[in-house]
Amino acid sequence: MAVYARGYRTYDGDFRGPPVAWTIFREGVAQALRRKGFRWILNITAFILLATAGMIYIQVIVEKQAQRLTGGMVRAQLMELDQIIHGFHATTMFLVSLGAVLVGSGLVADDLRTRALSLFLVRPIRPVDYMLGKALVLPALLIPLALLPGLVLWLLVGLWQPPGETWTFLQEHSDIAWNVTRFYLVGAAQLTGLLLLLSSRTPRRGLVIGLSAAILFGGPVLRAIGRLVLGPIGTLLKSLDLPNNMLWSFTRDRREWQFEGQGGGGRWGGTTGEERWLQWQPDPTVIYIVCFVLLAAGLYFTWRRARSVEVDA
Amino acid sequence: MSAAQAGIVLDRISKWYGEVMALNEVSAEFGPGVTGLLGPNGAGKSTLIKLICGMLQPNLGQVLVNGKTPFNRPSVMTRVGLCPEQDALYPQTSAWNALTYLTRLQGFSARDARMGARRALERVGLENDLGRSVAGYSKGMRQRFKLAQALAHDPDVIILDEPLNGLDPPGRRTFSELIRALGAEGKCLLVSSHILHEVESVARRIVVLNFGRVLADGTSRELRRELPEFPLTVRLTTSEPAELARHIVAIDGARRVEHVDGGLEVLTHHPAEFFDAVSELATSGTVPIEAVTPMDEDLEAVFRYLTQ
């Protein structure tokens, strides 16, 4: 037929822009930042951070004043920095969870609901590009909520040390930086995994918000049940309190000040304060397993979504 | 012409979902120009489009787009643009942002993507509404936006799924002109619709699909000619309808005669013989016949006949 006679030019284009996963990631972050709710969460977290920093600064001033008054012989007891950071994280944990749910619930579900996925699938995007682009959004958005504040406080307190002692202080307390990073990594892995998993299963964002909120905020109930159940099931139940997993990842290396507040190191009802405290906490290895399983499941189902619409047909 | 050069080649493709046969041994080639893909709801059009776009894999047969299998081969999609039937976009974003983003996903740099997006939005007539949220667009504007996102990366193969849905008459005219212009540029356009006059207005070639099979393939005139048994209604304008009716019922091919204002309407299953007989009658001067007008030699009638 005449219509075929004009022939066809072969594809002569190439990828001139950044990797597609990076473009998807950037758009995901931009979309999240366009959400008023998430911007409010960022602002409130920044306010709490400022307040905490201000409180520490006042303590430092008081300490310096005390040193002057007593000829520098008395060193005021600045509250342990890791306790302060733990307090900050415990206070903002609700905001971290809420922010993750707000942003993460729509990561894939919005594409399904608005049928934008069909537009992605007719673009030169590999499923792995889509998966990576989506999976990086939440960890990036959790940085200002769960990683930076702890590191900023650690650095600030280091900077407020007497001249010449900053580096020594930071080195002596380098475990705090690592614990903050672990807190962030555990949170990023399990929240990303959970929300990708739920978001890629349904186009209904409200359902994803409801389910993820139930899982995140119902965690303490599971942990309480897990404390009563012996064996691997109990261990597993205790590790399903995702926010607690994050906090426990931060504090488990410095838990002495925790159980001191729970009855000291003395014996009570046959158990020490530390033993009773540990009964409530999951095994660190199981936390990592939960992180891995959630993340792997979330990534797999997101990848599968971007592979084909066969499952919908 | 080799298969590698053609826009789209479907080679005996079959696709089924469980026990439901969506497509059954469909073979066709689509090259430069506009081709209409016509069929009622459930005919298999959407499945065919998904197969061409690589969203689905055929159970049997082979789909080639620019000579390559599209399924699991995203590079093929650099030269394909799809305008889906449903609204498919981020409603909270401005048209400009959304289109730049979608164009960047084609592998363009930010600068090239912005240029492509602006060109496409100008081409569909949305240049004055770039900054508006797509959520605030009318149905017609959303259709235009969807077409713009299919054009922004200058693809060779453009698939338009029900592109004229929801457009007002001026919008339809503009859209049809744009589709024809793209076809004239040498792009391979596949326009799917179940609204027949829409397809007829933009496509020279029409592929009729029903129950997962290609029922017909050609221009509407070719289709009509290749269906000699297809019933045709003919209007005969006359000042003496009763007398004319008496002669018409004697003609072998006439199946039904109706008296209408200004003449008769006759249904015939043998149009060629019927026209010969009417011509003889008119030239003999037995009864005055002022005009002979075939009433349904259009795609609507062909389509109705084929799909019933």
Side-chain angles (χ1 to χ4, degrees):
Chain A
M1 291 173 75
V3 76
Y4 297 130
R6 295 177 65 174
Y8 234 81
R9 69 174 189 266
T10 53
Y11 170 59
D12 54 0
D14 56 356
F15 285 94
R16 285 159 287 172
V20 180
W22 174 252
T23 308
I24 294 173
F25 159 71
R26 275 188 50 174
E27 177 62 18
V29 171
Q31 276 199 30
L33 294 177
R34 280 197 285 268
R35 288 187 193 283
K36 205 180 275 182
F38 189 73
R39 288 206 303 268
W40 266 104
I41 288 171
L42 284 177
N43 291 337
I44 295 170
T45 307
F47 176 77
I48 297 172
L49 176 63
L50 277 175
T52 311
M55 188 189 76
I56 297 172
Y57 188 68
I58 290 166
Q59 275 194 287
V60 171
I61 296 284
V62 169
E63 182 182 359
K64 281 180 179 170
Q65 192 66 31
Q67 279 177 337
R68 265 203 298 276
L69 289 174
T70 58
M73 295 302 290
V74 175
R75 193 176 176 83
Q77 290 298 305
L78 182 68
M79 192 195 289
E80 283 285 341
L81 179 58
D82 49 6
Q83 286 188 54
I84 295 173
I85 295 176
H86 178 267
F88 174 85
H89 285 321
T91 309
T92 58
M93 182 52 72
F94 174 76
L95 294 172
V96 171
S97 302
L98 193 64
V101 169
L102 269 182
V103 173
S105 56
L107 276 175
V108 183
D110 280 351
D111 288 349
L112 295 172
R113 183 171 45 80
T114 60
R115 298 189 179 89
L117 192 61
S118 64
L119 296 182
F120 289 135
L121 292 177
V122 289
R123 280 171 167 71
I125 299 172
R126 292 170 303 165
V128 72
D129 293 324
Y130 182 80
M131 180 194 78
L132 277 178
K134 294 291 178 183
L136 290 173
V137 172
L138 211 46
L141 293 170
L142 287 177
I143 287 174
L145 293 175
L147 179 64
L148 279 183
L151 294 181
V152 164
L153 291 175
W154 171 67
L155 274 172
L156 276 180
V157 174
L159 289 171
W160 288 334
Q161 294 304 305
E165 290 183 25
T166 297
W167 184 239
T168 314
F169 176 88
L170 291 178
Q171 276 187 320
E172 278 177 4
H173 293 81
S174 60
D175 59 327
I176 292 180
W178 163 237
N179 289 341
V180 169
T181 308
R182 192 166 53 195
F183 167 83
Y184 162 76
L185 288 175
V186 166
Q190 58 186 19
L191 291 173
T192 300
L194 173 73
L195 285 155
L196 280 181
L197 176 64
L198 295 175
S199 185
S200 60
R201 305 307 299 155
T202 172
R204 283 176 289 181
R205 191 161 168 256
L207 181 64
V208 179
I209 290 176
L211 280 174
S212 50
I215 291 169
L216 287 173
F217 300 117
V221 178
L222 292 176
R223 190 154 57 97
I225 297 169
R227 184 175 169 252
L228 303 172
V229 180
L230 294 175
I233 294 174
T235 310
L236 180 67
L237 284 172
K238 278 191 283 188
S239 64
L240 293 180
D241 184 356
L242 304 186
N244 180 68
N245 287 354
M246 292 173 71
L247 287 172
W248 179 232
S249 299
F250 175 75
T251 57
R252 67 184 169 84
D253 290 345
R254 286 195 162 206
R255 57 177 182 253
E256 61 274 12
W257 49 264
Q258 295 180 350
F259 65 81
E260 277 166 10
Q262 309 278 322
R267 300 191 70 81
W268 183 83
T271 55
T272 63
E274 181 176 14
E275 284 166 347
R276 278 188 291 112
W277 176 253
L278 287 173
Q279 280 178 358
W280 284 90
Q281 299 306 330
D283 186 330
T285 312
V286 181
I287 291 178
Y288 294 138
I289 291 171
V290 166
C291 288
F292 176 79
V293 169
L294 276 176
L295 191 58
L299 292 176
Y300 171 73
F301 282 107
T302 306
W303 174 82
R304 196 180 149 86
R305 269 292 179 200
R307 189 164 177 266
S308 160
V309 293
E310 188 108 32
V311 287
D312 286 335
Chain B
M1 178 154 215
S2 70
Q5 287 175 303
I8 302 166
V9 177
L10 310 174
D11 182 18
R12 294 168 63 88
I13 54 165
S14 296
K15 178 70 190 173
W16 53 83
Y17 306 119
E19 293 179 358
V20 178
M21 194 71 146
L23 288 173
N24 190 359
E25 292 209 352
V26 171
S27 293
E29 290 189 18
F30 308 110
V34 185
T35 306
L37 184 63
L38 190 63
N41 292 330
K45 301 191 298 293
S46 296
T47 299
L48 188 59
I49 288 173
K50 284 175 182 170
L51 287 164
I52 292 169
C53 293
M55 295 184 209
L56 294 175
Q57 190 173 28
N59 295 103
L60 288 174
Q62 192 179 33
V63 181
L64 295 175
V65 177
N66 293 346
K68 291 175 183 169
T69 310
F71 187 74
N72 262 352
R73 187 174 285 167
S75 64
V76 172
M77 294 300 123
T78 50
R79 307 307 310 163
V80 177
L82 169 69
C83 175
E85 183 186 357
Q86 301 96 345
D87 282 351
L89 28 101
Y90 288 115
Q92 69 267 36
T93 321
S94 72
W96 171 247
N97 280 339
L99 193 51
T100 304
Y101 170 51
L102 289 169
T103 312
R104 288 195 73 177
L105 292 180
Q106 292 285 356
F108 286 85
S109 66
R111 185 171 160 274
D112 289 348
R114 280 195 293 271
M115 280 171 56
R118 179 171 284 277
R119 246 194 332 262
L121 287 168
E122 282 172 358
R123 184 147 202 193
V124 300
L126 285 176
E127 65 271 24
N128 296 325
D129 301 285
L130 300 176
R132 280 179 60 187
S133 163
V134 182
Y137 274 6
S138 66
K139 174 74 179 169
M141 291 168 86
R142 288 185 191 198
Q143 287 290 96
R144 286 164 192 244
F145 176 82
K146 281 193 292 179
L147 182 60
Q149 64 78 32
L151 300 179
H153 57 291
D154 191 26
D156 297 322
V157 175
I158 302 168
I159 296 157
L160 311 175
D161 197 357
E162 309 276 359
L164 304 182
N165 263 6
L167 292 179
D168 54 8
R172 279 167 188 264
R173 196 165 52 246
T174 314
F175 235 68
S176 300
E177 282 167 8
L178 181 55
I179 291 168
R180 283 195 294 268
L182 288 165
E185 287 171 16
K187 296 190 183 299
C188 170
L189 274 95
L190 192 59
V191 180
S192 149
S193 179
H194 66 279
I195 300 175
L196 312 174
H197 63 88
E198 284 182 1
V199 174
E200 203 173 22
S201 68
V202 294
R204 280 193 66 237
R205 181 185 166 205
I206 292 151
V207 175
V208 183
L209 201 66
N210 199 23
F211 301 118
R213 279 185 174 275
V214 174
L215 297 185
D217 184 351
T219 64
S220 57
R221 196 173 285 272
E222 282 171 349
L223 295 181
R224 185 66 188 80
R225 279 203 209 106
E226 286 172 15
L227 292 166
E229 294 302 309
F230 171 68
L232 178 71
T233 305
V234 182
R235 173 170 287 189
L236 304 172
T237 309
T238 179
S239 55
E240 296 177 26
E243 180 63 14
L244 180 60
R246 202 167 59 78
H247 288 280
I248 293 295
V249 291
I251 297 173
D252 202 23
R255 289 293 170 90
R256 192 180 72 222
V257 180
E258 278 181 44
H259 182 222
V260 294
D261 189 29
L264 301 175
E265 270 188 13
V266 184
L267 180 78
T268 173
H269 277 269
H270 304 288
E273 291 108 42
F274 179 78
F275 282 123
D276 286 345
V278 169
S279 296
E280 264 183 43
L281 197 61
T283 50
S284 69
T286 317
V287 59
I289 301 175
E290 291 156 23
V292 180
T293 317
M295 295 301 292
D296 53 5
E297 195 183 37
D298 62 356
L299 188 58
E300 183 86 38
V302 176
F303 178 68
R304 221 171 28 235
Y305 177 70
L306 287 171
T307 56
Q308 273 171 3

